[in-house]
Amino acid sequence: MSGGIDSAVVRSIDPRGGFLSVTATRRPRAGRADVKCGVPDAPDVAQRMQQVVRLARHTEARADSRDQVVLSLDRAPADGSRDWELAAVLADRIVRGLWTPRPAVVANGWSDAWHLGRIDGCALAQLPEGVLAGGPQGLAHLGALQGQPDPAIGVASARAWFPLHSGGEQDSLGWVEVSLRPFAHSTEDEEGAVAAPQLDAARQARVRSVLAASRHFDGRGQGQWRTTVRFGEPRFQGDSYELALVLADRMARGREFLARGRVIATGRSSAWHAGRVEAVDGLAPKCALILRELAAGDRVLLPREWEAALPPGLREDVRARGASLACVERIGII
């Protein structure tokens, strides 16, 4: 196995009383997942723990995937409680030898942006002395553990929006965010340097494939970045998000012009390596949804194959809202 210890325990104060204990165990990976999590009678919490740890790892200066880390909570936290998140991140780092605290660690904290290394806060109003509390008044970012600067300083992020259409009242624009951290690696491992922990395995594989192929077309994006992909709503069907994903990645890498407002796009491709943009289903309802959600300064990008069938007056309506629209057949020529 790589450097580190075999196991580590970090405790977190439970708002119901007592402590929650996060145990991290390290073992040879042997083809298994890099992170495995378990929480008694709470599979959703275990899934969240796996997402948290994987996102936090993207702030690290190096990547070592030779070991599997198995994390577990000794009991399920209170409904909605997330203060155990910092304890899970720290246990994962301790067992892999990335942080060596002296006393036993008790930590409370949560974050909506672990991929930036940011710790948003701590849910407890009163903390005993010696407890590591996350947030602006305590441990504000993971770099502070070792006297390093805020990891978010080295991250470039961009969002693009795409229509979430299922024919119901909840139809809306969803966003995809790409965050990049400089990280030199082999171009053969381009897909392995992309994390999208909110998604199932099949969707993760497709996101990685799309980014790797579109960067190959770009010619300047491979082997340079550790990439984190997040969706505002990770439960969706179809592939109409792909163009928005590619554009968010290009904006984050400085390869695309920014709009005054949002970039709203829909499209897919069977050949992103050639930069080609292809049509998706749902032209009429998706155009109607985009027009309904449009604001001044927004930039709308649709597949060129849709151009002849656009709803009458759509371009004029878009201009009247102070926005712009283009139909594209390739990325990089927008």
Side-chain angles (χ1 to χ4, degrees):
M1 292 193 295
S2 58
I5 58 177
D6 291 336
S7 65
V9 178
V10 177
R11 296 191 299 167
S12 180
I13 297 175
D14 190 336
R16 301 168 298 186
F19 294 90
L20 298 167
S21 294
V22 179
T23 301
T25 304
R26 188 174 59 95
R27 62 183 182 179
R29 187 167 178 181
R32 296 180 288 244
D34 55 344
V35 180
K36 181 180 179 181
C37 299
V39 181
D41 303 316
D44 290 347
V45 177
Q47 184 180 44
R48 172 63 185 170
M49 184 186 294
Q50 185 184 58
Q51 292 175 6
V52 163
V53 168
R54 283 178 169 166
L55 286 170
R57 285 185 177 189
H58 264 223
T59 67
E60 298 170 5
R62 62 182 177 87
D64 187 343
S65 59
R66 289 175 290 174
D67 298 339
Q68 182 189 60
V69 174
V70 181
L71 294 121
S72 62
L73 267 172
D74 59 341
R75 57 193 174 107
D79 290 344
S81 174
R82 293 173 51 195
D83 247 23
W84 51 266
E85 291 183 0
L86 179 57
V89 170
L90 297 181
D92 176 60
R93 294 197 168 196
I94 293 169
V95 81
R96 290 184 294 123
L98 300 184
W99 183 50
T100 308
R102 291 180 180 174
V105 181
V106 179
N108 281 61
W110 60 273
S111 177
D112 286 329
W114 283 112
H115 64 293
L116 300 178
R118 188 181 70 209
I119 308 170
D120 291 324
C122 171
L124 298 179
Q126 299 292 330
L127 286 169
E129 185 177 351
V131 173
L132 188 59
Q137 306 305 316
L139 184 68
H141 59 82
L142 291 173
L145 288 169
Q146 295 168 308
Q148 297 174 347
D150 186 348
I153 295 172
V155 176
S157 295
R159 285 185 182 182
W161 277 255
F162 62 98
L164 286 169
H165 166 70
S166 61
E169 294 182 356
Q170 303 303 314
D171 289 355
S172 63
L173 293 180
W175 55 260
V176 55
E177 178 184 81
V178 175
S179 298
L180 304 172
R181 181 181 303 277
F183 177 65
H185 61 273
S186 167
T187 56
E188 286 77 18
D189 193 38
E190 187 69 17
E191 294 188 20
V194 176
Q198 295 170 298
L199 307 180
D200 59 36
R203 184 60 57 82
Q204 285 186 49
R206 181 56 186 167
V207 163
R208 289 170 175 150
S209 175
V210 166
L211 288 180
S214 63
R215 290 174 180 179
H216 176 79
F217 169 76
D218 184 68
R220 298 175 65 177
Q222 294 182 295
Q224 300 180 47
W225 309 100
R226 179 178 283 171
T227 306
T228 305
V229 178
R230 299 195 306 155
F231 287 85
E233 172 48 70
R235 296 181 294 274
F236 61 89
Q237 301 297 320
D239 51 11
S240 63
Y241 69 92
E242 289 185 8
L243 180 56
L245 170 65
V246 169
L247 292 173
D249 178 58
R250 288 175 62 81
M251 288 188 289
R253 291 188 291 115
R255 301 291 292 166
E256 196 70 50
F257 290 110
L258 303 179
R260 289 188 295 115
R262 299 168 296 180
V263 170
I264 302 170
T266 187
R268 62 170 302 278
S269 182
S270 59
W272 282 118
H273 65 281
R276 191 167 68 226
V277 178
E278 299 169 354
V280 293
D281 295 333
L283 184 157
K286 286 178 180 175
C287 286
L289 171 57
I290 290 172
L291 185 62
R292 187 182 77 212
E293 300 285 336
L294 207 59
D298 288 347
R299 175 100 166 128
V300 180
L301 300 171
L302 305 175
R304 176 64 61 83
E305 295 174 57
W306 278 13
E307 192 165 28
L310 291 179
L314 177 64
R315 289 184 181 276
E316 292 76 11
D317 289 341
V318 169
R319 281 197 296 268
R321 301 277 186 91
S324 61
L325 182 149
C327 293
V328 299
E329 58 185 354
R330 290 188 184 277
I331 57 174
I333 312 175
I334 297 173

